[in-house]
Amino acid sequence: MTAVGIRKLGYVGLDVTDVDAWTDLLGRTLGVGVTHAKSGTDEIALAELDEFKYRLALYPSTEDRPRELGWIVDSPWELDRLTQKLTDAGFAVTDGSAEEKELRGATQLRWFTDPVGYRVELAVGEAKVRLGPDRPAGGPGVTGLGHFVLASPKLGELRELYESVLEFQLTDYRAPGLYFFRCNRSHHSIALANAETAAIHHLEFEHGSLDDVGRAYDRAKAHDVPISISLGRHMNDKAISFYVRNPSGFHLEIGCGGIEVGDDWVPHDFGRSDEWGHHHADANPFASPKS
């Protein structure tokens, strides 16, 4: 069945060396405002993607790297069940602090370290703090956090974690080493790729319409934001998107129109990566002869 204990990608936290550059990109290109909160002595920027407290947190740091990857779990019972599965699989699961729960807007929070060293959080509860964020005139703009692609030399161990332990379902794949997984009806919430170095390849912001994506593209061009992958439509999830290089160096995908899939979906190799477009400014690490 499509439904699993994990309901969706809830939030991502990043250590960043230039919070101001991120805030500028979010505001001028995407119309996304930020609020600020304290974490110890640090002031964190929280991106307002939807009506919930935040989906992206930016922590000032001396290096750019993922800080936490947060998944929303359906219930306390499911959190306990997944905790036991993680423990049985050899992962040490730790309770989040009261300060961390308050910042996330969660009623319960646990975390563990994945095979490449990233902190993965499981949270119960989300805090709504607004009816909806302000956006530039013309449409809803950004509507939420979609998915991320994690590249790593430990692809097999990550697949074991997400498929066997966390119970994500394989949607499709592309040889020789790119796999897409879902935890709800969206085509994918995470993709795992083979690479020599662990990193987030891209993070996707969902938009309300093609016009919203087009307006974001115009603003990116107007503000000289580096467009790292041109406008195009993916072969597998049918989303239309373009990518910009964010201040931390990886891609930020601006997309809309991804398909939903049901329990009758059959995983398959979808062959070439795109229906059209998506030309890379730099070498594509996932290119194949079929692309």
Side-chain angles (χ1 to χ4, degrees):
M1 294 180 63
T2 300
V4 295
I6 292 174
R7 177 159 27 104
K8 64 179 180 180
L9 177 61
Y11 53 88
V12 172
L14 301 175
D15 283 334
V16 302
T17 56
D18 196 337
V19 175
D20 290 340
W22 262 100
T23 300
D24 183 70
L25 170 65
L26 291 169
R28 292 203 296 168
T29 300
L30 302 179
V32 171
V34 299
T35 57
H36 293 87
K38 284 287 188 180
S39 175
T41 59
D42 291 330
E43 185 174 82
I44 311 164
L46 306 176
E48 301 177 337
L49 300 192
D50 54 24
E51 69 271 26
F52 292 95
K53 191 170 183 180
Y54 74 92
R55 298 298 186 195
L56 178 67
L58 306 171
Y59 297 78
S61 177
T62 57
E63 64 176 329
D64 291 279
R65 69 180 306 275
R67 186 184 181 100
E68 67 258 353
L69 307 171
W71 299 97
I72 304 301
V73 179
D74 270 335
S75 66
W77 182 86
E78 287 288 359
L79 180 61
D80 288 342
R81 186 179 68 82
L82 291 173
T83 297
Q84 188 61 58
K85 290 198 68 176
L86 285 162
T87 301
D88 292 344
F91 294 92
V93 182
T94 303
D95 287 330
S97 68
E99 181 184 43
E100 289 167 341
K101 284 190 290 185
E102 182 179 3
L103 180 63
R104 307 316 185 248
T107 56
Q108 289 185 261
L109 180 69
R110 293 175 191 164
W111 65 272
F112 64 95
T113 302
D114 76 7
V116 296
Y118 293 154
R119 172 168 166 152
V120 179
E121 298 186 353
L122 304 178
V124 176
E126 297 180 275
K128 284 189 177 182
V129 297
R130 61 185 73 86
L131 294 177
D134 292 331
R135 290 288 184 259
V142 180
T143 58
L145 184 62
H147 63 260
F148 67 93
V149 175
L150 179 58
S152 167
K154 296 187 177 182
L155 176 60
E157 293 176 52
L158 285 170
R159 284 194 63 187
E160 178 70 17
L161 167 62
Y162 279 95
E163 282 189 276
S164 299
V165 182
L166 297 180
E167 302 173 345
F168 282 62
Q169 288 186 289
L170 178 66
T171 303
D172 53 30
Y173 54 92
R174 186 162 64 88
L178 182 59
Y179 298 86
F180 293 78
F181 299 94
R182 66 189 188 275
C183 59
N184 51 45
R185 291 186 62 84
S186 295
H187 179 276
H188 63 280
S189 294
I190 184 173
L192 302 174
N194 189 43
E196 293 183 0
T197 304
I200 290 182
H201 174 266
H202 75 259
L203 181 66
E204 189 252 355
F205 284 177
E206 294 182 339
H207 282 60
S209 70
L210 179 57
D211 286 338
D212 290 320
V213 172
R215 281 186 281 265
Y217 181 84
D218 282 349
R219 290 194 296 270
K221 296 286 284 187
H223 296 297
D224 294 322
V225 175
I227 295 175
S228 50
I229 304 176
S230 69
L231 190 70
R233 184 192 286 273
H234 288 305
M235 175 63 73
N236 61 344
D237 70 353
K238 308 305 179 186
I240 294 177
S241 66
F242 70 98
Y243 298 65
V244 301
R245 185 75 68 178
N246 67 53
S248 294
F250 62 91
H251 303 285
L252 188 64
E253 183 179 11
I254 313 303
C256 71
I259 62 172
E260 294 186 341
V261 300
D263 294 334
D264 58 346
W265 183 271
V266 178
H268 61 283
D269 187 329
F270 57 91
R272 57 192 176 94
S273 60
D274 301 292
E275 297 267 13
W276 53 267
H278 283 152
H279 303 295
H280 289 239
D282 300 315
N284 178 3
F286 307 136
S288 74
K290 295 181 180 180
S291 296

